[in-house]
Amino acid sequence: MTTVPAQHALPSYLNAEDLGPWGVYLQQIDRVTPHLGSLSRWVETLKRPKRILTVDVPIERDDGSIAHYEGYRVQHNMSRGPGKGGVRFHQDVTLSEVMALSAWMTVKNAAVNVPYGGAKGGIRVDPKTLSRGELQRLTRRYTSEISLIIGPNKDIPAPDVNTNEQVMAWMMDSYAMIEGNLSTGVVTGKPISLGGSLGRREATGRGVFVVGREAAAKRGVAIAGARVTVQGFGNVGGVAATMFAEAGSKVVAVQDHTATVVHQGGLDIARLHKHVAETGGVAGFPGAEAVLDRDAFWDVESDILIPAALEQQITAANAQRIRTKIILEGANGPTTPEADDILTDKDVLIVPDVLANAGGVTVSYFEWVQDFSSFFWTEDEINARLTRIMQDAFNAVWTVAQDKKVTLRTATFILACTRVLQAREVRGLYP
């Protein structure tokens, strides 16, 4: 349960006794505020989303019944450009979660200096309970309901938890039918055949690897031979695991929703990907020397830990047990502020989500630019540009952290919030 400090004035639609992820975000803003100087007069801007749209998403099920689902699109801040952020389909989606995710997108986009504000969307649904036809109808209805606030120059959705290229294609087509013209830049993460970008699927995991390599160099940890543990084996964790393994690291433990598999000599990541593709999860992988219960994952010793699943996985309850040197946050909001403090006291270097997993939105930006120009880059060009942007962002954050004697998370927020609030101040208030 996350409660709010007394100094925050809360909107009526939130419960002060249990703020969820939004409460975590507010605590992070409190930590950065003393470092904002004269810009702190604008800090309340960051504590209030610009726009929140709650929608009813009715569809006809395959059996003829009518089902209703709760949907959201939150635009947190658009001082630096149009909104940008994913859409997730998950049964536990809440307004607090979508608000926090949109705010972290504001920070993330500013941290890597792409010209976007922060936004996020979601539907409270378990997509595994829907047929492909029902999923398409849900996506198209949701798109129609939020179409009044999205657009290539207004707010650009992208894939997130349980959404993919196909969902983006349905969203793009639905928007085209509503507007009466094809605008490929309305979403990113599309299929290549519809204006998607090469390298987009791997971008978030690749970004995690790039900043991980930079962090390891700062901490004197050799990537070759480093022991890596990964929670989550999807587009982020799976790609990061592959890249670390290819660089000579030993991925000693992987956890997903089915099991935790361990091999102290290093799991065969290529074989594990094949097994997951065939069975749907890491459970039953014949290349594991041990299978642990879910909570025991945090006891596996490593040099680099990559939480790449859902929010609030590392808490005060398990942080003391974690034995690692570097944490790379592939997921959004995986570490609570209390756990942050515990791990910092243990001298664990945490590369925060708003920096570590920014590779995805960076290549989404590349896709958006390519769609506007109808001129597409090679995958090598995309990967080289992504690597340069992630390295530059990490080094800028590292410099702030050293100068201010703060954590990388607070340093990232200082850098990003300064950029956002400078834009807010220069633009002023209208009217």
Side-chain angles (χ1 to χ4, degrees):
M1 179 178 293
T2 306
T3 57
V4 66
Q7 70 265 27
H8 293 292
L10 284 178
S12 60
Y13 49 80
L14 289 179
N15 176 12
E17 300 304 315
D18 186 8
L19 280 179
W22 182 249
V24 173
Y25 165 75
L26 289 178
Q27 291 180 57
Q28 293 168 342
I29 292 299
D30 286 341
R31 294 183 181 206
V32 75
T33 301
H35 301 282
L36 295 177
S38 63
L39 290 172
S40 61
R41 68 187 286 257
W42 293 96
V43 77
E44 289 297 317
T45 303
L46 300 173
K47 299 177 186 178
R48 291 165 170 78
K50 174 181 176 64
R51 183 175 292 115
I52 296 173
L53 179 62
T54 303
V55 296
D56 175 40
V57 188
I59 64 166
E60 184 174 351
R61 298 293 301 266
D62 292 341
D63 63 5
S65 63
I66 305 299
H68 291 258
Y69 300 94
E70 189 177 316
Y72 302 103
R73 187 69 184 176
V74 177
Q75 296 168 341
H76 173 256
N77 187 285
M78 298 161 85
S79 295
R80 299 180 66 252
K84 188 79 187 78
V87 174
R88 60 177 50 188
F89 293 172
H90 196 276
Q91 61 272 20
D92 296 327
V93 163
T94 64
L95 178 57
S96 168
E97 177 187 51
V98 179
M99 287 170 60
L101 291 168
S102 71
W104 286 323
M105 286 304 302
T106 296
V107 176
K108 187 182 304 181
N109 291 327
V112 293
N113 210 19
V114 294
Y116 289 137
K120 206 76 175 186
I123 302 178
R124 193 175 174 85
V125 61
D126 180 359
K128 297 182 181 67
T129 65
L130 302 180
S131 68
R132 179 181 171 86
E134 290 169 337
L135 185 63
Q136 180 174 177
R137 293 193 289 276
L138 182 80
T139 301
R140 290 184 180 276
R141 181 64 188 224
Y142 171 72
T143 306
S144 74
E145 295 292 347
I146 68 168
S147 62
L148 70 164
I149 66 168
I150 65 171
N153 292 301
K154 294 163 66 176
D155 182 1
I156 307 105
D160 199 79
V161 175
N162 292 328
T163 55
N164 55 21
E165 293 180 348
Q166 179 60 75
V167 171
M168 292 304 105
W170 288 331
M171 290 190 73
M172 187 195 79
D173 183 70
S174 300
Y175 185 81
M177 296 302 102
I178 294 166
E179 293 295 308
N181 62 79
L182 179 60
S183 180
T184 55
V186 68
V187 295
T188 58
K190 303 180 296 295
I192 299 298
S193 60
L194 292 177
S197 177
L198 296 169
R200 172 62 183 85
R201 192 190 74 83
E202 301 84 6
T204 307
R206 182 178 293 277
V208 169
F209 172 75
V210 170
V211 297
R213 188 173 57 193
E214 297 296 310
K218 297 292 188 185
R219 271 295 166 97
V221 175
I223 291 295
R227 294 157 50 86
V228 179
T229 56
V230 182
Q231 185 197 40
F233 202 64
N235 277 359
V236 182
V239 171
T242 296
M243 296 196 70
F244 274 103
E246 290 175 348
S249 302
K250 295 187 293 185
V251 181
V252 297
V254 171
Q255 180 183 86
D256 71 358
H257 64 287
T258 65
T260 301
V261 293
V262 177
H263 195 299
Q264 294 299 335
L267 294 158
D268 186 329
I269 297 301
R271 282 184 61 205
L272 184 56
H273 275 295
K274 187 172 184 293
H275 175 80
V276 170
E278 292 171 350
T279 68
V282 303
F285 178 55
E289 64 181 13
V291 178
L292 306 179
D293 65 45
R294 184 166 189 80
D295 191 55
F297 171 80
W298 306 109
D299 297 317
V300 180
E301 189 173 358
S302 64
D303 297 303
I304 299 172
L305 165 62
I306 306 174
L310 294 172
E311 300 87 18
Q312 300 185 61
Q313 298 297 298
I314 302 176
T315 67
N318 59 20
Q320 285 287 6
R321 294 159 45 198
I322 292 174
R323 293 173 295 163
T324 194
K325 298 173 183 175
I326 299 169
I327 293 177
L328 307 174
E329 293 187 338
N332 290 310
T335 310
T336 67
E338 296 81 10
D340 235 356
D341 293 340
I342 292 169
L343 291 164
T344 299
D345 289 343
K346 294 173 64 176
D347 198 32
V348 176
L349 179 65
I350 302 174
V351 184
D353 50 356
V354 286
L355 176 60
N357 69 27
V361 74
T362 301
V363 176
S364 278
Y365 168 59
F366 296 165
E367 179 179 335
W368 184 67
V369 169
Q370 291 171 87
D371 284 338
F372 272 119
S373 65
S374 296
F375 183 80
F376 293 87
W377 310 338
T378 68
E379 190 163 1
D380 286 345
E381 288 174 319
I382 288 162
N383 290 340
R385 287 168 171 162
L386 169 63
T387 297
R388 184 179 68 250
I389 285 176
M390 295 300 293
Q391 287 174 332
D392 289 349
F394 178 87
N395 288 321
V397 168
W398 183 268
T399 298
V400 172
Q402 297 301 301
D403 290 346
K404 301 281 189 181
K405 301 293 188 292
V406 294
T407 65
L408 290 187
R409 190 184 312 281
T410 299
T412 305
F413 270 73
I414 291 171
L415 186 67
C417 293
T418 296
R419 288 171 175 167
V420 173
L421 296 181
Q422 282 176 339
R424 177 71 279 165
E425 184 169 64
V426 170
R427 289 182 62 173
L429 296 176
Y430 174 85

